[in-house]
Amino acid sequence: MTPEFAILGHPNEGKSSVLSTLAEDDSVRVSPTPGETTECRTFPVVIDGREVVRFTDTPGFQNPARVLSELRKRGEQNSDPLQSFRQFAATVPELHDDCELLSPVERGAGIIYVVDGSRPVRNVDRAEMEILRLTGKPRMAVINCKEDDNTYLDDWKVEFRKNFNANRVFNAHRATYAERILLLEALKAIDQDWQPVLSRVVDAFKKDWKERNATSSDAIYQLISEALTLTVRQSTDTRQGGEAIQQKLFAAYKKQLAEKEHHCHQKIRSLFKHNIFNYDLPPHSIVHADLFSQQTWQLMGLTRKQLILAGGLGGAALGAGLEVATLGHALGLFTAMGGVAGALGALIGGEKLTSRINLPGVSLGGEQLQIGPAKSIELLFVLLNRALLYYRHTINWAHGRRDYPANNEVAPSGGEHLGFTSNWSTAKIKICHDFFKVLQKSRITASAAENENFRTLILQCLEEISEYAG
Ligand SMILES: Nc1nc2c(ncn2[C@@H]2O[C@H](COP(=O)(O)OP(=O)(O)OP(=O)(O)O)[C@@H](O)[C@H]2O)c(=O)[nH]1
Ligand SMILES: [Mg+2]
């Protein structure tokens, strides 16, 4: 049987937010106005087409003192005071929410009691906890601190020890995938009978996590392979100058690359189930910056030191004819070549478009011009860092969260590097370098060692970022 947990608590404490994060469902209604949830609603967690666990959202307690006294009264006379109370409360309009919230408990759901641990314990909370204790059902308390204030945490824990089988801190806005799994692990402790089934749930979550990382790394790998080999061509037209064609081709190249990148990011987004809420990167995220802006290349490319290292690996990874120490860095290029277009010509290929004869892919008859494939390995790092940043943001965006903090991920000024790869060793850079070189020569086959090493490297990055523990 699929285990069910009901999320209970006082109005506006974050029950629906906790559920939304736990079930990874951004369709759960969350609102700053107390009393938002008035009916129970069940959200299944489906993995591999199978429902493994379900969570039920409930309205908050409205009359805990009255419910408690009714339950106590019935406890003395009835073998099932909960059922008796619900039968009575169904006919009393002001007890609608209290009756409704106990319905999943009556049918056997485990209880997850949510409190905002950043405020003091009050008598109504004690009444609610006592009600839950009287139900006799397996129960866990979850502390969802809305503010960063731990002053009352110990007071809450004292109360929880009296009334619950376990308690745990779980933040609806910040909980990661790993913390979701830890919460499920902790639920095992609330009832011995549930241990085997919850172990299977935890295993299913871990497997799902592993698969999502593998699929994400495939998407990033595919993006980078396609981007590095991307070319656009156009027949020359005698009426148009080389300059005009160059601009047109660059625009087409950038558009295609942007579409590929968007496709990869959206794939990651839907893999992590950000479907409904119009979730996006924070407004000031560097990933919003144009892929071909100087800022992007400065913050997401290789560091100057790494470029020198990459240069030492030999081959044309930095782009033909670029002097590593002086001009090789994208930044140097942006400065030396007087702006984005010139620098990109050198990095992507196509700087010699005006001189048709020297262009790769250009027939000597001058009938076709081509931009790409990328000449510089920097494009690999720019795309990789942007994808990793997108991935990190997506996996850490708890589904219960619906807004942005004011100051998240602000792009630093003063040449600071934002990339994940900025402290990479030569060994890792060499893996990228070897992959890039093979790709430049020919489209490599899936089994090539360089290919596999690069794939593995991406997957390792994702596992590190997501703190995947196997
Ligand atoms: N800062 C912060 N706000 C939170 C957190 N959890 C919930 N909130 C906010 O608290 C408000 C209430 O959250 P809900 O999840 O709707 O609370 P609820 O307990 O389901 O409320 P009712 O359905 O009205 O009983 C919303 O504005 C949430 O965004 C949190 O961890 N941190
Ligand atoms: Mg709610």
Side-chain angles (χ1 to χ4, degrees), residues 10-18 29-37 57-60 144-146 171-173 400:
H10 205 68
N12 212 39
E13 296 286 281
K15 299 179 295 300
S16 301
S17 307
V18 164
R29 285 175 66 127
V30 165
S31 149
T33 316
E36 176 65 24
T37 311
D57 197 14
T58 68
N144 171 45
C145 288
K146 287 200 201 173
N171 189 278
H173 282 193

Side-chain angles (χ1 to χ4, degrees), residues 409-421:
E409 252 186 49
V410 179
S413 53
E416 214 176 312
H417 204 276
L418 258 188
F420 290 86
T421 61

Side-chain angles (χ1 to χ4, degrees), residues 216-291:
S216 300
S217 76
D218 280 350
I220 297 173
Y221 169 83
Q222 197 183 345
L223 163 69
I224 294 176
S225 309
E226 287 180 15
L228 294 178
T229 49
L230 179 65
T231 56
V232 287
R233 288 180 192 188
Q234 196 192 312
S235 302
T236 55
D237 179 335
T238 45
R239 284 164 302 172
Q240 281 187 328
E243 188 80 1
I245 296 176
Q246 183 182 10
Q247 277 182 12
K248 205 171 151 191
L249 280 178
F250 255 130
Y253 180 89
K254 282 165 75 170
K255 185 162 174 277
Q256 284 192 35
L257 207 53
E259 280 167 5
K260 287 181 190 299
E261 192 188 38
H262 182 73
H263 178 74
C264 167
H265 292 184
Q266 289 308 303
K267 188 155 186 188
I268 293 172
R269 177 178 182 241
S270 68
L271 210 53
F272 287 87
K273 304 191 183 169
H274 288 289
N275 301 321
I276 295 173
F277 173 60
N278 190 18
Y279 144 91
D280 201 351
L281 290 158
H284 27 250
S285 169
I286 175 69
V287 183
H288 283 303
D290 192 293
L291 176 59

Side-chain angles (χ1 to χ4, degrees), residues 1 4-6 8 71 79-84 86 101-113 128-141 160 162-166 187 189-194:
M1 207 182 77
E4 177 184 6
F5 292 94
L8 304 181
L71 266 182
S79 59
D80 192 344
L82 186 57
Q83 188 188 42
S84 158
R86 289 199 64 246
L101 71 92
L102 288 168
S103 67
V105 180
E106 195 189 340
R107 68 174 175 251
I111 295 167
I112 295 179
Y113 178 65
E128 290 170 7
M129 291 189 250
E130 178 64 7
I131 292 167
L132 299 180
R133 196 183 66 78
L134 288 178
T135 67
K137 295 288 183 328
R139 57 206 175 273
M140 171 192 260
F160 290 159
K162 292 185 217 158
N163 296 299
F164 293 88
N165 314 91
L187 279 172
I190 70 174
D191 194 302
Q192 217 174 0
D193 290 349
W194 285 356

